[in-house]
Amino acid sequence: MSKTSEAMQQPVDFARFPDERGHFGRYGGQFVPETLMAPLRELQDAYARYRDDPEFVAEFQSDCRDFVGRPSPLYRAERWTRKLGGARIYLKREDLNHTGAHKINNTIGQALLAKRMGKTRVIAETGAGQHGVASATVAARLGLECVVYMGAEDIQRQSPNVFRMRLLGAKVVPVNSGSRTLKDALNEAMRDWVANVDDTFYIIGTVAGPHPYPMMVRDFQSIIGRETRQQMLDVEGRLPDALVACVGGGSNAIGLFHPFLADADVALYGVEAGGYGIASGQHAAPLCAGRPGVLHGNRTYLMENDDGQIIGTHSVSAGLDYPGVGPEHSWLKDIQRAVYTSVTDDEALRAFHELTRTEGIIPALETAHGLAYAGKLAVELGPGKTIVVNLSGRGDKDIQTVAEREGIEL
Amino acid sequence: MSRLAERFRQLRGRGRTALIPFITAGDPHPDLTVRLMHGLVAAGADVVELGVPFSDPIGDGPVIQQACERALRHNVSLRDVLTMVQRFREDDPDTPVVLMGYMNPVELMGYAEFATRARDSGVDGVLTVDMPPEEMGELAASLAAAALDSVFLVSPTTTEERMQAICAKAGGFIYYVSLKGVTGAANLDVDAVGARVARLHGMTGLPVGVGFGISDAATAARMAAVADAVVVGSALVRRIEANQEDLDAAQEAVTALVAEMRQAMDADAPASVE
Ligand SMILES: Cc1ncc(COP(=O)(O)O)c(C=O)c1O
């Protein structure tokens, strides 16, 4: 923690990022085919107009309260803390949100914007299916047509969510190109958008993509961190010592971190998917083991080969199985405001079981990565310190995967 | 004068619309590419557009995506593509070659190194699909230092203001995307395209090429009447796909379509002006 704050030469005014064209230092930006420049401009203008519009803000807040069930509780994990014998662990219960993950916060915001922009059709990409379900949900509620792109491999491993989306009236389109996972779903959604810019709003599910998405999604998800801040002040009378979140594209992490960026004493830990281990090359940890490059409209850390081709990733959790990461995280890594680390599939699975058995909460496999690291960190920090883990989603969608891995037939 | 400028000057003199075929380098096999480039020229191509394979081509439809996947199965890299251009140049010093691709391989090689190597290999223009002029500063400087033309896309959604800015930065020719969509789509409106091309002609002295969705000789001829160049990609790549097991057949099928388009474009052209 002190390492992080010492490394920062002078205070950064985090509110000034990104710049007007979406840059976080050298990261971010707008790297898209020309056809998308106009709709991005339109989106930027609309967001600038409504971002602080009292009516828009009020509608977002009341939807978050009445439809999502916010504020989500900050739960003190007593038994787990005692078992570990280290820092006190709090769980920010995004799993209790309507649809079961943090993803809904963002889709509420973007759908309200889509409606104000007069768009009648929304599209989304999804990995674990949580963002797809959240998009289908808000589309159903607002009466918008919804198409969700999902890698064929993810359709296999997240089938309950596929059915949920269909129940909600969304069309789920399997993507068979490339690695048939999240990155390819994003490619396909971009292509759809290029072809249908007039009536279509693209709801990106994480803090990736071209500007203004990384900023806009961050803003909508920052409700997580703002609530956490207040809740910690209420129960502990002070800010936490550390925040921990899993990082796929990075939306639940940035949502938790962002309101704390200026608090140099709050250490920030983003946990990537280590798959079979970083040394194996079979992982999804661009911040830990990648290089900066350009993918999906922004400059950021990526997993690529020596020719600049994006390489296949591996994670037991579909929602983390992505070769890029939101550009703000790349910047926070370089300026050493946040620390990025990884845990393996096996460690995540152990944490999945541990939380389930000690606290009676079945976490998503994505979330289990954050939990696995938080367990280690709690021991390292020791008693007297506090950690908040973003419990980004619930694990119902993953029980099939867990059963299969453990040779259990349901 | 750049090879592209020189080529368009000659064509203008002859009243001929440029035919610019696109193929993905290394598709279906790296052994075919240089031979196919020569074949395209023999069949009537005035400029060759060579796609640099990329794993995540978001501006392309399924046909060119799969072409990238076929090339990447042979690990065709940006370096390999430059080597292919160099070999092409050994036997064809005149036909301009434009590389079309995505940013990431260029980012990794480094802008200055890429520009120098591209120039030394005999490349004339560079079009990076996911690099808008706003982000282009450093890359544009490197390309200019190597005397390479920056080719930009203008699309049906591009505003007047952006069109002006793009024209100011572009070299070689302007590539007008004839439809809202990815490559290989099929919803062309020739009249609308003609109006936009005329608008561009009012802004720049550069030639204006039209591409995306031109799939047969008749459409090529109709587009040729309103533009300075016609770019054909997916239609050719489809023929490569259909003959991927037989390189000779692929060569034959692709060059035959180029020749057919050439013929249709020339037949419809007004007799040589001047
Ligand atoms: C529960 C949960 N947590 C985390 C993620 C990872 O996304 P992000 O890094 O954007 O929060 C996902 C993505 O599907 C998810 O479903």
Side-chain angles (χ1 to χ4, degrees):
Chain A
M1 170 183 68
S2 52
K3 206 177 84 209
T4 328
S5 37
E6 270 162 28
M8 290 172 46
Q9 305 287 312
Q10 55 200 21
V12 178
D13 181 1
F14 290 98
R16 282 190 22 249
F17 291 85
D19 71 13
E20 222 156 274
R21 287 194 289 113
H23 299 106
F24 300 90
R26 60 188 289 229
Y27 302 104
Q30 288 181 322
F31 296 90
V32 294
E34 176 60 26
T35 306
L36 289 182
M37 290 304 285
L40 284 174
R41 177 85 250 170
E42 184 190 350
L43 178 60
Q44 252 170 282
D45 291 346
Y47 185 56
R49 181 165 156 212
Y50 292 114
R51 182 180 192 176
D52 299 315
D53 172 62
E55 219 172 283
F56 181 81
V57 173
E59 195 172 344
F60 178 69
Q61 282 170 347
S62 72
D63 279 3
C64 280
R65 187 188 63 224
D66 303 334
F67 190 65
V68 178
R70 304 204 70 92
S72 67
L74 185 71
Y75 167 73
R76 192 156 136 177
E78 286 285 359
R79 234 162 75 79
W80 196 34
T81 297
R82 223 178 310 134
K83 191 171 168 203
L84 293 167
R88 186 176 303 141
I89 301 178
Y90 288 90
L91 305 174
K92 179 60 174 164
R93 299 290 308 273
E94 295 298 303
D95 61 318
L96 294 178
N97 293 342
H98 180 43
T99 71
H102 68 292
K103 298 283 179 188
I104 190 93
N105 304 327
N106 168 48
T107 56
I108 293 270
Q110 290 199 48
L112 290 180
L113 200 54
K115 230 184 132 182
R116 278 170 173 73
M117 291 170 73
K119 306 290 181 184
T120 53
R121 178 174 178 267
V122 296
I123 57 173
E125 85 294 338
T126 197
Q130 288 304 112
H131 174 61
V133 167
S135 298
T137 298
V138 295
R141 176 166 173 256
L142 298 178
L144 302 167
E145 182 191 343
C146 180
V147 175
V148 180
Y149 291 93
M150 188 167 186
E153 176 168 341
D154 292 337
I155 286 187
Q156 290 270 317
R157 55 178 167 175
Q158 303 285 344
S159 54
N161 272 344
V162 176
F163 187 55
R164 286 167 84 194
M165 288 184 259
R166 292 195 169 129
L167 285 175
L168 288 158
K171 187 173 152 209
V172 180
V173 181
V175 177
N176 276 301
S177 57
S179 60
R180 308 160 81 226
T181 58
L182 180 55
K183 109 179 147 67
D184 310 287
L186 221 147
N187 290 340
E188 215 47 47
M190 289 257 195
R191 291 181 186 117
D192 178 311
W193 200 28
V194 169
N196 300 292
V197 290
D198 295 331
D199 67 348
T200 297
F201 188 105
Y202 180 14
I203 305 185
I204 295 188
T206 188
V207 283
H211 180 64
Y213 285 101
M215 171 181 80
M216 181 170 72
V217 176
R218 172 198 78 192
D219 292 348
F220 291 138
Q221 291 293 4
S222 290
I223 193 166
I224 301 172
R226 283 197 305 273
E227 287 175 8
T228 300
R229 208 185 154 81
Q230 190 54 52
Q231 288 165 325
M232 276 303 282
L233 290 173
D234 290 346
V235 296
E236 287 277 342
R238 61 185 185 93
L239 298 181
D241 295 294
L243 304 176
V244 178
C246 66
V247 176
S251 68
N252 88 88
I254 208 78
L256 178 64
F257 295 174
H258 197 259
F260 294 91
L261 288 180
D263 303 301
D265 289 336
V266 179
L268 310 175
Y269 296 94
V271 186
E272 296 192 306
Y276 298 128
I278 298 292
S280 74
Q282 304 259 51
H283 55 79
L287 288 167
C288 294
R291 285 181 291 209
V294 172
L295 178 69
H296 293 153
N298 67 96
R299 185 179 281 119
T300 194
Y301 279 85
L302 298 176
M303 293 185 45
E304 60 181 0
N305 67 14
D306 289 336
D307 299 331
Q309 307 296 344
I310 307 307
I311 53 177
T313 50
H314 163 78
S315 170
V316 66
S317 99
L320 303 185
D321 210 349
Y322 180 63
V325 64
E328 192 163 8
H329 288 293
S330 293
W331 178 61
L332 293 175
K333 170 189 161 77
D334 281 9
I335 64 167
Q336 299 181 30
R337 175 59 190 101
V339 173
Y340 295 91
T341 178
S342 69
V343 308
T344 63
D345 287 353
D346 288 343
E347 290 175 296
L349 268 133
R350 277 201 296 277
F352 171 91
H353 287 298
E354 183 161 87
L355 193 81
T356 303
R357 291 295 180 93
T358 50
E359 295 291 351
I361 298 170
I362 302 179
L365 283 176
E366 290 79 14
T367 313
H369 287 71
L371 294 166
Y373 184 72
K376 295 193 243 182
L377 184 66
V379 174
E380 221 173 90
L381 291 180
K385 303 282 188 183
T386 57
I387 299 175
V388 177
V389 189
N390 195 347
L391 201 84
S392 58
R394 66 176 189 228
D396 308 42
K397 69 183 176 56
D398 293 315
I399 54 175
Q400 188 76 40
T401 305
V402 173
E404 263 166 38
R405 271 184 69 104
E406 297 172 359
I408 297 158
E409 258 192 62
L410 294 187
Chain B
M1 189 184 289
S2 77
R3 226 182 252 124
L4 273 167
E6 174 59 24
R7 175 54 50 104
F8 276 104
R9 193 188 60 80
Q10 291 165 357
L11 291 173
R12 207 166 283 178
R14 292 161 55 198
R16 163 158 150 162
T17 301
L19 175 56
I20 309 184
F22 166 96
I23 55 170
T24 298
D27 171 35
H29 192 282
D31 288 348
L32 182 66
T33 305
V34 175
R35 194 176 123 207
L36 184 53
M37 289 169 77
H38 288 305
L40 297 173
V41 175
D46 301 294
V47 175
V48 172
E49 195 172 302
L50 194 57
V52 180
F54 183 51
S55 52
D56 295 82
I58 53 173
D60 286 297
V63 172
I64 292 176
Q65 270 176 65
Q66 280 158 28
C68 287
E69 289 186 15
R70 285 193 294 273
L72 289 175
R73 251 173 251 147
H74 301 285
N75 297 311
V76 174
S77 66
L78 178 54
R79 278 187 175 75
D80 296 334
V81 177
L82 294 177
T83 305
M84 290 172 187
V85 177
Q86 196 171 6
R87 280 176 42 222
F88 171 76
R89 275 282 165 258
E90 287 165 11
D91 298 309
D92 186 335
D94 302 319
T95 307
V97 173
V98 175
L99 294 187
M100 181 163 179
Y102 293 81
M103 271 314 293
N104 200 49
V106 176
E107 286 268 313
L108 189 62
M109 183 178 280
Y111 299 164
E113 185 179 340
F114 165 68
T116 312
R117 278 175 183 252
R119 180 199 52 205
D120 293 348
S121 310
V123 169
D124 301 288
V126 174
L127 196 178
T128 33
V129 177
D130 54 350
M131 178 58 120
E134 287 88 341
E135 297 279 0
M136 179 90 177
E138 272 175 61
L139 177 59
S142 296
L143 294 176
L148 293 169
D149 286 317
S150 293
V151 178
F152 287 104
L153 299 172
V154 168
S155 90
T157 62
T158 307
T159 60
E160 287 267 323
E161 198 187 344
R162 283 181 61 76
M163 276 162 75
Q164 300 271 12
I166 290 170
C167 287
K169 290 189 177 164
F173 63 99
I174 302 280
Y175 188 145
Y176 182 68
V177 176
S178 38
L179 49 80
K180 285 184 198 166
V182 291
T183 52
N187 46 334
L188 272 189
D189 174 347
V190 181
D191 292 338
V193 172
R196 295 279 284 178
V197 172
R199 192 71 203 92
L200 282 163
H201 277 146
M203 290 180 186
T204 176
L206 287 173
V208 180
V210 167
F212 278 41
I214 299 171
S215 58
D216 55 28
T219 317
R222 276 158 63 220
M223 284 296 173
V226 300
D228 304 305
V230 171
V231 186
V232 186
S234 296
L236 303 180
V237 174
R238 255 181 224 116
R239 293 194 165 195
I240 293 179
E241 184 182 357
N243 295 282
Q244 52 185 294
E245 303 304 335
D246 181 343
L247 300 189
D248 290 331
Q251 169 97 3
E252 173 61 35
V254 170
T255 52
L257 181 56
V258 171
E260 211 183 299
M261 289 181 158
R262 176 82 268 165
Q263 215 174 15
M265 286 165 61
D266 291 351
D268 278 13
S272 181
V273 284
E274 291 171 300

